[in-house]
Amino acid sequence: MSTAAATGPGVPENMRGRIGMASLIVAEISFFAVFIVAYLFYLGKSTTGPQPGEVLKTPIAATICLLASSVTIAIALRALRAGSLGGFRAWWLATILLGAGFLFATALEWHELIHERGLTIATNLFGTTFYSLVGFHALHVTLGLCMLAFVLAASLRGRLQPADAERTEILSWYWHFVDAVWVAVFSVVYLTAR
Amino acid sequence: MAVLDRSLASSSPGEAVRLPVASRLHDWVVTADHKKLGLMYIASGLVFFLVAGVMASMMRIQLAFPQNDFLGPNTFNRLMTMHGTTMVFFVGMPMFFGFANYLVPLQIGARDLAFPRLNAFGFWMFLFGGLLLYFSAIGSEGLYGAGSTPDVGWFAYAPLTSRTFSRGNATDYWILGILLSSVGSTATAINLVTTVATMRCPGMTLRRMPLFVWILWVDAILVLFVLSPLTAAQVMLLFDRFLGAHFFDTQAGGSAVLWQHFFWFFGHPEVYVLILPAFAIASEVIPVFSRKPLFGYPIMVAATICIGMISMSVWVHHMFVVGLEPGANTFFAASTMAIAVPTGIKIFNWLGTMWGGRIRFRVPMLWCTAFLVEFVLAGLTGVILATVPIDWQLSDSYFVVAHFHFVLIGGLLFNIFAAIYYWFPKATGRMLDEGLGRKHFFWFVLGFNLTFLPMHVPGLLGMPRRIYTYMPGRGWDAWNLVVTAGVAVQAVGILFFLWNVISSLRGGEPAGDDPWDAWTLEWATTSPPPEYNFEEIPTVRSRRPLWDLKHPEDPDWRWE
Amino acid sequence: MNPGSPVHAIPDMFSPVSAPAEAIRQLWWLLGGISGAILLIVGGVVWWCATRFRALPGEDREPPQVYGSNQIEFAWTIVPVLIVFVLFLATARTIYDVQAMAPPADALEVTLVGHQWWWEIRYPGLGVVTANELHVPASVPGAKRPTFLTLESADVIHSFWVPQLAGKTDVVPARRNRTWVEPTETGTFLGQCAEFCGTQHANMLLRVVVDSPGDFAAWVEAQKRPAVADPLVAAGRAVFESTSCVNCHTVAGTGAKGTFGPDLTHLMSRTTIASGAADNVHAQLRAWIVDPHAIKPGALMPAMKLPDDQVDAVTAYLSTLR
Ligand code: HEA
Ligand code: HEA
Ligand code: CUA
Ligand SMILES: [Cu+2]
C-alpha cells in the first residue's frame, strides 16, 4: 500500500482552480440560459412598440472589441509564460481597453435607446427581456474588467511572475466565457432583430 | 498502511484545553474548517426544522376540525409558505451541505475542502438568507404588520407575486432570502465538485470512491445546473416588482406559465438534490450494519448519474393541469416514469446488500430499514401522480401533500436521523443513547404514518391543499382529525431525539474511533477528528480501506 | 332546480358520473394494483431480511462478502422497464382520449371566469350570466350533450376541479384553457378552486347542478328574464341603486352594471352566496351585506356601513331577485 504514488490519484495540483472555474462557468451558463430562453419566448409578443427590428442596430464595433479581447488575452498569457512581463502587460492592457471599449459602445447604445427611442425596461416585453439579458452580460464584463485591472495592478507592482501563469490563465477562462455569452446574445438578440 | 495502524490505535478522546466561551464562539464564527462548518450547517438545519415543525403543528391544529378558527386565513397562508420554504431551503439544503462538508474530505482522505474560505462564505450566505426570510416578520410591513411573512406558497406562482396582488414587501423577502442562500449554495457546490475531483488521497480512483461521495458529487453537479435558473427567475421577479418590468405581467403579454417552467426546472431537480444525500447515507449505513459490501456498486453509480440527468427533463409533471398540449404531457409522463427505473435499481441493490447479511439493527439501521419501505410507498404515489389523467384529479390535493411528505420525511428525514445516529460518535466522541434512540424511532415512525398515511384519503376525496378551512360533511373531517393527532405523536418522538442529543453531548458513552466496525476512512482517525483530519494522508487500495486493514487474509482489492 | 335531485356531499373521484372522470377511475385501478403489488413485494423482502438475516447476539463472524451479480441486477432493471412501459401506454391513451376530444356541434359552451374568490359563469350562446353555481344538462341516452368549458381568469391563477365530473384544469390569466364534462346523472356536485389564489382560496367553492334536459331548459328561460321588479321593495332597490353596490354588481334591467362582483339578477336562484361561504338564507344575506369579512375575511367586497334600516331594505330587495 505504502508504495503507491505520494500524490493523489493522478490529479495534478493545478486542477483545483480549473475545476472550480469550470464549475462556476456551468452555473453561469444556466443563469444566462434562462434569460436567453425568456428573450426568445417573448420575441414578438410585446403588446406595444417598439419592436427590436425598429430600434436595434447591429453592434459591429462592440463585437469586434470583445472578440479581439479574447485574442489579446491569449497573447498576453503566452507572453507571461515565455517570461516576457513587458509583453504581458502590454497585451493585458490592450484586453482591458478592448473590454472597456465594449462597455462604452453598450453605454452609447443604451443612451440612444433610452433617451431617443424611449425604450426602457418597463416599456414592453422587448425592453424587459432585452435590458435584463444585455445588462447582465454587461455586468459580467464589468466584473471581468475589475479582475483584469486587479491583475494588471499586481503586475505593475511586480507581484506577478511567470509562475502565476496558471492562475492568470484560469482568470482568462472567465473572460473567454463572457465573450462566448456575447456570441450567444449577439445571435439571439441582434441577428433575430434584422 | 502504517498511517492507518497508528490512528486506529490512538483512540483516546482528545482532551482539549477549555477556552473561555467568548473565544470559543469566536473560533466558530471565523472558522474555515470543514468539520465546524459542517456541524454549523446541521445545527442550523435542525433549528429551522423545529421552527418549521412548530408551524406545521399550528396548521394542523387549525385543520383538525372543519371551520375551525384557531388561525385566520392570512396567518395560515403565511405559516404554510414559511413552513414549505423553510423545510426545502433551510432544512433540506443545509443537511446536504452539512453532511457533505463534514464527511466528504474525511472519506476521501483530504484535510479540507478545496476552497476553505469559500466554504465559510457559502455557509454564512446560507444562514444570512434564512435570517432575512424570517426578518420579513417585522421587516415587510414594519412592526405594525408584525408577522407579515410571505404568503404566496413555496413556489410563488405568478401573477400572485406581482405588485398588484402582493402588496408590501413580504414577497421581496421571500425572493431575497432564497436568492442569497442560493448564492451560498452555488459556492458550496462549486467547492464540493472541485474537492472530489482534485483532493482524493493516493489510490482513491473514481472506482474506489465511497458511494456516499459519488452521490454527493453528482448532487453538487446537479446543484450547479439547476440552482442558478431559480436565481435568474427570482431576479426577473424582482425586476417586475421594482423596475416595472413585465416578465410575468399578464396584462402586458407576459406569461404566468413561464414562471412555472422556470421554477419547476429548478424545483423538480431540487427534490432530487434533497433526496440524493439520503440515498448516500443509506448506501453507507446499510452495508455497514448488514456486514456486507454494497451490492452492485458500479450500477449504483450509474443509476445515480441517470437520476441526476433524467431529473432535469421531468419538470412539467408539476404542470400537468396547466393545460399544455397532449404531446407535452405525454412526453413528460414518460420521462417522469422513467425515473422509477434507476430509483428502483437503488432500492433493489440495498435489499441485495441486506440479503444474506448479518444485520445488526442498531438505531441507524432501524431508520434505514424503515426508509426502504416508506420510500417505496412514496415513490409509487409519485408514479401514480406521473400518470397524467390521475394527476388531473390529484394535483394540488392532499394526496400530493401526502406524497411529498412521504418522500421528504420517509425518504430524507429518516436518513438524516440515521446519519445523525451514525456519525454523532465521530463528530463528538460520544455515542447517542440506544434506548432513547429506539424510543425516538418508535414514536416518530408511528406518528409519521399516523399523520401521512391517512392524509392520502382526503386528497382522494377531493380536498385541495393550501386551504385554511373546509366545510363539514364532505367526508374529510375524521381523516383530518387523525392526521392532526399523528403530529402530536411525532412531536413526542422529536422530544426524545432532542433529549437524546442534549444528554449524550454531556454524558454519552465514549465512542472510540470506530464504534460501528465500519470501513471508510473517516473511521480511521480519532473521534472527533483533529483539525487536520489525518496525521498523514492515507493511501487506499479498495473501496473499503478499513476492511482491508481488519481482514488482511481477505482484502477487498483482491476482488475489485 | 328539481327538488328531488340529490346533493353529492363528498367530491369523491371514485364515484364518477361523467366521461373524463370515469376514464381516470379506470386508470386508477391499474396504477393502484401495480403499485400495491410492488409495495407488497418490497415490504415482504424487507421483512424477510429483517427476520431471516438478523444478527443473533454474540454472532461475530462476518457473512460471505458478495459484491454484486450482473444477472440479478439486469433482471431488476428490465422488469421495471417493462412495467413502466405498460403504464406509459395506458397513460398516453387516456391523455389523448380526454384532451383531444373535439366538441360536437350541439355541445353546450360555457365560459368560466375565475375571480379572487368567486366564479363568474357565462353562457355565450344563451345570453345567461350567473355566478358560483354552474348548471349543465345531463347527457342522457337519446340526448347526448357534453358541456365544453372555456376557462379564463380575471386576476391570478385558479383551478377548476369537480372530481366527480372531470379532473382539474387551471384557470390562467391571459390564457384560454378548455375542458369538458359529460354528466350522466342529475344532482349537485361539489368542487372548489384548486390552485392557491390568495387569502380566500379556501372559500372559492363551485357547485355544479346537473339538470335533466327539461329542467335545464326551464332554468335557462328563468335566467334570461330581467330581474323581478317588485314594487313592495322599491325602497330597497333605491338604496341599492344609490349606493356603490352598482359599481360592482349587475342586476339586469336596472342601472346596476358593475362586473367586479357576481351578477345578482337571479341571486335567489342560487343556494349559497359568496361562492359557498354561506347559505343563501335571509340572515346570512343580511350579515353579508353588513360585513362580508365576518363571513369571508379578506373578500374583495367592502363592508358598506349602511344604517340598519337600509340594510333591511336592501336585503328585502335582494330577496326578491329570483
Ligand atoms: C425528496 C423529494 C421527492 C422525491 C424523491 C420525489 C420522487 C418522485 N415524485 Fe415527487 N414531489 C416532491 C418531492 C419528491 N418527489 C414534492 C416536494 C412535490 C410537490 C411540490 C409541490 O407542489 O409543492 C412532488 C410532486 C410530484 C408530482 C406533481 C404532483 C402535482 O402537484 O400535481 C409528481 C407527478 O408526477 C411527482 C412524481 C414523482 C415521481 C414519479 C418520483 C420518483 O422519483 C419516484 C421513484 C421511486 C419509486 C417508483 C419507488 C421505487 C422503485 C421501485 C420499487 C421500482 C419498481 C417501480 C415501478 C416499476 C413503478 N411528484
Ligand atoms: C423536508 C420537508 C418537510 C418536512 C419535514 C415537513 C414536515 C411536516 N409537514 Fe410539511 N410541507 C413541506 C415540507 C415538509 N414538511 C412542503 C414543501 C410543503 C408545501 C408548502 C406549500 O404548499 O407551499 C408542506 C406543506 C405542509 C402541509 C400542507 C399545507 C397546505 O397545503 O395547506 C401540511 C399540512 O398538514 C404539512 C404538515 C407537516 C407536518 C405535520 C410535518 C411534521 O412532520 C413536522 C414534525 C415536527 C414537529 C412536530 C416539531 C417538533 C417540535 C417540538 C417537539 C417542539 C420543540 C421546540 C423547541 C425546542 C423550540 N406540511
Ligand atoms: Cu381560486 Cu384558489
Ligand atoms: Cu417533481
Side-chain angles (χ1 to χ4, degrees):
Chain A
M1 254 214 256
S2 42
T3 52
T7 55
V11 182
E13 176 71 14
N14 61 20
M15 283 305 275
R16 214 181 280 184
R18 292 173 174 235
I19 294 193
M21 180 56 81
S23 310
L24 176 66
I25 290 178
V26 166
E28 293 267 37
I29 287 176
S30 27
F31 181 84
F32 275 106
V34 171
F35 280 93
I36 290 178
V37 167
Y39 188 87
L40 289 174
F41 182 82
Y42 283 137
L43 203 58
K45 295 213 177 104
S46 296
T47 46
T48 57
Q51 302 295 333
E54 297 159 24
V55 290
L56 288 187
K57 296 198 202 99
T58 316
I60 307 277
T63 307
I64 292 177
C65 276
L66 206 55
L67 291 181
S69 74
S70 256
V71 178
T72 53
I73 201 171
I75 302 178
L77 275 172
R78 184 167 301 173
L80 183 63
R81 285 237 171 68
S84 152
L85 282 174
F88 168 76
R89 282 181 200 135
W91 286 106
W92 197 259
L93 181 66
T95 311
I96 294 181
L97 291 179
L98 287 168
F102 171 85
L103 277 186
F104 184 66
T106 306
L108 284 184
E109 181 196 32
W110 283 32
H111 184 84
E112 188 194 326
L113 286 177
I114 295 172
H115 292 286
E116 279 157 41
R117 305 303 189 124
L119 179 75
T120 69
I121 194 166
T123 305
N124 59 9
L125 280 173
F126 163 57
T128 294
T129 49
F130 170 81
Y131 283 111
S132 35
L133 175 55
V134 174
F136 265 108
H137 176 261
L139 182 69
H140 280 72
V141 175
T142 314
L143 287 179
L145 278 182
C146 291
M147 292 191 283
L148 295 186
F150 187 75
V151 172
L152 185 68
S155 106
L156 288 177
R157 284 207 256 132
R159 297 256 183 82
L160 194 83
Q161 298 305 321
D164 296 318
E166 176 66 27
R167 285 201 277 162
T168 319
E169 179 181 341
I170 291 169
L171 180 57
S172 82
W173 286 14
Y174 185 78
W175 192 253
H176 290 308
F177 156 72
V178 170
D179 207 19
V181 172
W182 179 252
V183 175
V185 171
F186 184 81
S187 342
V188 166
V189 176
Y190 295 97
L191 292 188
T192 57
R194 294 194 312 144
Chain B
M1 175 82 98
V3 187
L4 293 183
D5 282 344
R6 179 146 22 95
S7 43
L8 270 185
S10 66
S11 54
S12 63
E15 201 37 66
V17 197
R18 284 259 158 191
L19 297 167
V21 178
S23 67
R24 263 187 293 155
L25 197 66
H26 181 256
D27 277 358
W28 283 90
V29 173
V30 300
T31 188
D33 175 33
H34 71 99
K35 296 183 290 301
K36 283 193 170 148
L37 286 167
L39 293 179
M40 276 148 76
Y41 265 121
I42 295 171
S44 33
L46 278 178
V47 171
F48 279 123
F49 169 75
L50 292 178
V51 173
V54 170
M55 295 198 262
S57 314
M58 291 169 70
M59 295 193 295
R60 282 318 317 174
I61 295 175
Q62 162 68 13
L63 291 173
F65 305 102
Q67 305 222 287
N68 201 358
D69 52 10
F70 175 67
L71 301 174
N74 287 323
T75 317
F76 183 94
N77 294 343
R78 289 179 186 135
L79 288 176
M80 173 269 284
T81 305
M82 291 297 276
H83 166 76
T85 308
T86 307
M87 285 293 191
V88 171
F89 292 98
F90 301 105
V91 178
M93 292 298 266
M95 288 300 175
F96 162 30
F97 290 129
F99 284 105
N101 243 298
Y102 199 95
L103 293 164
V104 164
L106 284 168
Q107 288 207 340
I108 61 175
R111 293 209 155 121
D112 208 323
L113 290 185
F115 311 110
R117 270 177 298 176
L118 184 67
N119 196 16
F121 167 80
F123 170 76
W124 291 106
M125 285 300 268
F126 146 77
L127 190 63
F128 187 63
L131 297 179
L132 193 64
L133 178 70
Y134 276 84
F135 185 71
S136 63
I138 43 179
S140 65
E141 284 177 29
L143 280 174
Y144 293 112
S148 309
T149 58
D151 59 358
V152 288
W154 86 278
F155 42 75
Y157 273 1
L160 195 59
T161 48
S162 68
R163 274 247 175 271
T164 325
F165 301 109
S166 163
R167 302 202 190 85
N169 289 100
T171 302
D172 303 313
Y173 278 94
W174 180 86
I175 299 172
L176 288 172
I178 294 176
L179 203 146
L180 282 188
S181 85
S182 302
V183 172
S185 303
T186 306
T188 307
I190 291 174
N191 215 338
L192 285 171
V193 173
T194 313
T195 305
V196 177
T198 61
M199 312 265 292
R200 281 166 286 132
C201 69
M204 185 168 289
T205 57
L206 287 182
R207 312 188 73 238
R208 289 187 196 147
M209 211 155 74
L211 193 63
F212 182 86
V213 178
W214 251 112
I215 296 182
L216 294 185
W217 198 34
V218 172
D219 204 3
I221 295 175
L222 191 59
V223 168
L224 291 184
F225 279 98
V226 303
L227 207 53
S228 32
L230 173 69
T231 307
Q234 290 186 318
V235 167
M236 292 176 182
L237 189 55
L238 270 186
F239 283 3
D240 274 12
R241 289 178 60 86
F242 283 101
L243 303 181
H246 305 292
F247 282 106
F248 310 115
D249 174 3
T250 47
Q251 307 286 312
S255 161
V257 178
L258 192 66
W259 167 267
Q260 302 192 10
H261 280 295
F262 289 160
F263 186 90
W264 291 118
F265 179 77
F266 150 80
H268 181 82
E270 168 69 9
V271 305
Y272 288 93
V273 168
L274 297 181
I275 201 70
L276 282 177
F279 290 172
I281 292 162
S283 306
E284 220 32 44
V285 170
I286 293 179
V288 167
F289 289 89
S290 305
R291 310 308 305 156
K292 278 177 64 204
L294 191 83
F295 195 89
Y297 171 95
I299 193 175
M300 286 294 255
V301 173
T304 308
I305 298 175
C306 261
I307 291 181
M309 292 196 311
I310 303 179
S311 76
M312 283 188 272
S313 64
V314 305
W315 75 94
V316 168
H317 69 220
H318 297 274
M319 302 167 59
F320 285 150
V321 293
V322 168
L324 302 177
E325 296 299 308
N329 286 342
T330 313
F331 173 83
F332 284 97
S335 60
T336 302
M337 289 178 173
I339 279 209
V341 177
T343 315
I345 291 175
K346 285 186 172 266
I347 301 279
F348 299 135
N349 277 342
W350 288 319
L351 292 176
T353 308
M354 290 169 72
W355 193 271
R358 296 228 199 307
I359 307 173
R360 301 178 184 163
F361 282 104
R362 304 293 298 277
V363 179
M365 187 61 184
L366 287 178
W367 285 110
C368 285
T369 313
F371 149 75
L372 284 177
V373 182
E374 312 279 16
F375 183 76
V376 169
L377 174 60
L380 291 168
T381 55
V383 174
I384 289 175
L385 288 169
T387 306
V388 184
I390 298 185
D391 187 68
W392 290 335
Q393 287 285 18
L394 295 177
S395 178
D396 276 317
S397 76
Y398 260 85
F399 190 88
V400 173
V401 180
H403 156 70
F404 68 71
H405 283 92
F406 251 82
V407 264
L408 285 167
I409 299 179
L412 174 62
L413 198 60
F414 278 23
N415 276 312
I416 288 176
F417 285 138
I420 290 177
Y421 281 89
Y422 184 66
W423 280 295
F424 188 90
K426 179 47 61 184
T428 65
R430 296 185 182 278
M431 303 294 282
L432 280 170
D433 185 75
E434 184 84 6
L436 283 175
R438 282 172 186 272
K439 289 204 180 70
H440 167 206
F441 173 80
F442 171 81
W443 285 91
F444 193 80
V445 173
L446 181 75
F448 163 71
N449 285 294
L450 203 57
T451 307
F452 294 106
L453 266 182
M455 193 188 271
H456 291 91
V457 181
L460 294 168
L461 296 181
M463 178 169 170
R465 63 194 281 202
R466 297 170 159 187
I467 53 174
Y468 77 97
T469 190
Y470 51 94
M471 296 289 163
R474 296 200 148 193
W476 309 338
D477 314 12
W479 296 105
N480 275 298
L481 191 58
V482 174
V483 168
T484 302
V487 181
V489 182
Q490 288 186 62
V492 173
I494 299 286
L495 288 178
F496 276 119
F497 169 67
L498 294 179
W499 176 241
N500 198 354
V501 169
I502 293 167
S503 65
S504 301
L505 268 179
R506 291 157 173 265
E509 195 188 315
D513 291 349
D514 183 16
W516 311 114
D517 194 3
W519 303 312
T520 38
L521 284 177
E522 76 269 32
W523 306 105
T525 183
T526 54
S527 308
E531 186 138 350
Y532 43 86
N533 291 352
F534 302 97
E535 251 166 72
E536 208 171 298
I537 294 298
T539 300
V540 300
R541 282 183 79 181
S542 79
R543 277 169 216 151
R544 297 194 296 170
L546 267 63
W547 170 275
D548 297 351
L549 204 68
K550 295 167 187 167
H551 300 268
E553 77 292 350
D554 179 30
D556 262 5
W557 46 263
R558 276 216 204 118
W559 308 103
E560 274 171 12
Chain C
M1 201 191 11
N2 183 345
S5 84
V7 176
H8 298 264
I10 300 177
D12 170 12
M13 64 176 269
F14 295 109
S15 327
V17 299
S18 154
E22 174 61 39
I24 294 171
R25 183 180 62 166
Q26 288 172 7
L27 202 52
W28 166 269
W29 293 124
L30 175 71
L31 264 292
I34 292 182
S35 302
I38 294 175
L39 183 65
L40 278 182
I41 294 171
V42 174
V45 173
V46 169
W47 189 77
W48 178 260
C49 285
T51 49
R52 176 73 183 68
F53 300 117
R54 174 194 288 272
L56 302 174
E59 194 180 21
D60 278 343
R61 234 166 10 94
E62 302 281 17
Q65 301 293 300
V66 179
Y67 297 86
S69 150
N70 287 340
Q71 292 88 327
I72 298 180
E73 287 168 53
F74 181 73
W76 66 44
T77 308
I78 205 70
V79 172
V81 168
L82 295 176
I83 298 177
V84 162
F85 189 65
V86 172
L87 294 182
F88 167 70
L89 290 183
T91 304
R93 221 189 78 185
T94 317
I95 293 179
Y96 279 90
D97 279 355
V98 175
Q99 270 195 295
M101 167 88 168
D106 63 343
L108 176 66
E109 286 287 345
V110 181
T111 303
L112 202 63
V113 186
H115 290 259
Q116 273 182 330
W117 299 286
W118 59 282
W119 301 94
E120 174 186 340
I121 300 166
R122 298 179 167 272
Y123 296 75
L126 305 174
V128 169
V129 179
T130 178
N132 301 330
E133 292 186 15
L134 170 67
H135 281 250
V136 299
S139 190
V140 291
K144 284 209 169 293
R145 195 169 185 209
T147 302
F148 275 71
L149 297 151
T150 303
L151 305 171
E152 293 172 10
S153 166
D155 34 53
V156 301
I157 305 182
H158 306 271
S159 193
F160 166 82
W161 186 29
V162 185
Q164 286 174 273
L165 302 184
K168 63 181 73 62
T169 309
D170 279 357
V171 180
V172 187
R175 186 184 171 97
R176 275 215 171 105
N177 276 337
R178 298 272 284 166
T179 187
W180 60 283
V181 299
E182 190 171 354
T184 51
E185 270 177 37
T186 58
T188 299
F189 300 92
L190 304 183
Q192 74 186 78
C193 174
E195 186 64 80
F196 183 67
C197 51
T199 313
Q200 277 297 347
H201 162 64
N203 280 317
M204 189 167 162
L205 278 51
L206 177 68
R207 324 183 125 225
V208 180
V209 183
V210 180
D211 296 319
S212 68
D215 287 350
F216 180 72
W219 178 81
V220 169
E221 276 321 305
Q223 294 287 313
K224 277 194 195 165
R225 273 183 237 127
V228 179
D230 188 339
L232 288 179
V233 292
R237 176 169 167 177
V239 175
F240 183 82
E241 290 190 53
S242 58
T243 321
S244 53
C245 311
V246 292
N247 293 340
C248 299
H249 294 286
T250 296
V251 177
T254 75
K257 297 208 162 54
T259 53
F260 184 76
D263 188 307
L264 302 179
T265 312
H266 300 285
L267 178 64
M268 286 304 130
S269 70
R270 311 202 274 263
T271 51
T272 62
I273 54 170
S275 102
D279 286 335
N280 191 2
V281 291
H282 189 273
Q284 298 272 32
L285 189 57
R286 189 179 191 286
W288 174 263
I289 295 165
V290 172
D291 183 10
H293 302 261
I295 293 177
K296 198 169 172 181
L300 295 185
M301 166 163 157
M304 303 302 294
K305 306 218 161 56
L306 299 176
D308 270 2
D309 55 331
Q310 294 198 6
V311 173
D312 286 334
V314 171
T315 314
Y317 166 61
L318 291 180
S319 304
T320 62
L321 300 177
R322 20 200 101 261

